Amino acid sequence: MQQELKTLDCITPADALPLRATVKEIVSLNPSTLEELGRVPIFTAEQVQQALTKARAAQPAWAALSFRQRGEFILRAKTLLLERQDELCDLMAKETGKPVVESLSSEVLPVANLMDYFVRKSAKLLRGDQFTLSVFRNKKSRIHYFPLGVVGIISPWNYPFSIPMGEVIMGLMAGNAVLLKPSEYTPLVGLWMGELFRAAGLPDGILQVLSGDGTTGAALVDSAIDKIFFTGSGRTGRKIAETAARRFMPFVLELGGKDAMIVCADAPFERTVNGALWGGFSNCGQACASVERLYVVESIAERFINALVEKTKLLRVGIDGEQQKDIGPLNNARQLEIVTDQVNDAVARGAKVLTGGRRMANLRGYFYEPTVLVDVNNSMRVMQEETFGPVLPIVVVKDEAEAIREANRSNYGLLASVWTKDTNRGKQIAAQIEAGTIIINDVLYTHGAAETPWFGVKESGMGVTHSKHGLLEFVRMKHINWDVMPMKTNLWWYPYSAKRRRDFKLLLKILHKWGLKKWI
Ligand code: NAD
């Protein structure tokens, strides 16, 4: 097994899938110490199928419950989450390496908020609506929303609790059964989620956690589930889209980012420095919406960069303990390799390291120094590819127009941020940036706000999570239409005649030439 442990941990992206497919268990590692935390089974395609059969059988009774009844299970899970928060934070510190403060602020708190929000709002958001048609005044329509059935959720390791839980909560509140495939790098947190809902009394089969690697995920996508919700890399997202297209299965993809931070000449100075620091380095830079490219206008660049470098040097890296550290390790060997390669490539092409730039050899785990780079350009991998590590490349631009142009020169479009004291100007700049969300004077945090939509454009994804828009991804729409005053025939039915032709011409005139449409 130690051999297998080594295999899992030292794989390179290119050979990852074939090697992983040969192991039957996942060994969960502590990235700070490289010690084994536990082992979980890899679900086979046959076991995925069995889970689906069980979910299908259980789902109709779940869908028949009222929103209030379904909400009671979620609220019980919330009570348990609050009671067991320390246990969860401790597990996440061990399995992801993230500081406990971050587990509380970006995993526990957002999930408790999501639970509250969707328990309170789902009935209203999914009530559907009824209306009279504008031209056909004798007709009415009603939109109904129904659960999809059994949905699959495949999640990454960087926020192993809050990312899948948002979708689990929305999926359950909408009346679906859920099959959850957590990341192979955080399987114990995945199983903890299943246990939380079991303890909350959720009926058997309604939420099943399928531990496993890419083979388990691929089997889930290739099963007869009703929709797949995937968060992860573009490389895997593309494979999922191909399978889903073959099966005519709907999907949501939440993929990578290369988020730009635009620092205007009138940026609120201290806040902007602190924002860049947190946006670039929180979760060790392993957020899809981390600041990965920073554009600062030249009039304040020198002062800004100096202040940022000084604060970066003060960040405490290490294992979380009684004395809280600011930055933990990268989560796995593959991530360490990507970060190391990108920084080396940038330096070889002329980038200058102002601080950091190396693995921390004095620590056993995957620790990398928080790094600030300048003199970077678009020929470098660090400016083109997602880094997902504690690396902040800074570009000095002439003005905001150049910053916007550069920010848009990317295949990604998840989040961006604009920093200015003039909110209206910030909004004007935001309107020109190609990204799903643009935040003025803040970074990253809206994933933690239940009511705001989270989605990417370009290669950052398709579909939405969170907010009422995300909830609507978990239902099937049905439109029912009827007559208020049934007549013997419709104007557009048979028989056609010269009179019908005149009638239609008159109708077109009334509606679109004489301007009477506004009275209808
Ligand atoms: P990944 O694509 O390697 O893995 C994600 C999940 O997909 C894992 O559970 C994995 O087991 C599974 N998987 C792997 N191969 C599969 C296959 N062929 N079929 C089905 N499932 C398969 O990504 P990762 O390294 O875990 O996560 C990091 C990536 O996730 C980054 O690119 C990051 O930006 C992105 N991410 C995006 C968001 C967002 O909201 N847009 C949030 C967090 C992370």
Side-chain angles (χ1 to χ4, degrees), residues 70-89:
R70 291 200 288 265
E72 281 168 9
F73 289 96
I74 309 283
L75 292 180
R76 270 208 292 280
K78 188 183 94 168
T79 304
L80 289 171
L81 168 64
L82 296 179
E83 279 169 24
R84 297 186 188 171
Q85 55 180 280
D86 289 339
E87 176 190 320
L88 175 64
C89 290

Side-chain angles (χ1 to χ4, degrees), residues 28 37-40 91 95 182-183 185-193:
S28 173
L37 294 169
R39 290 165 189 237
V40 300
L91 178 61
E95 203 169 40
S183 169
Y185 290 106
T186 49
L188 299 180
V189 175
L191 294 178
W192 197 92
M193 284 185 267

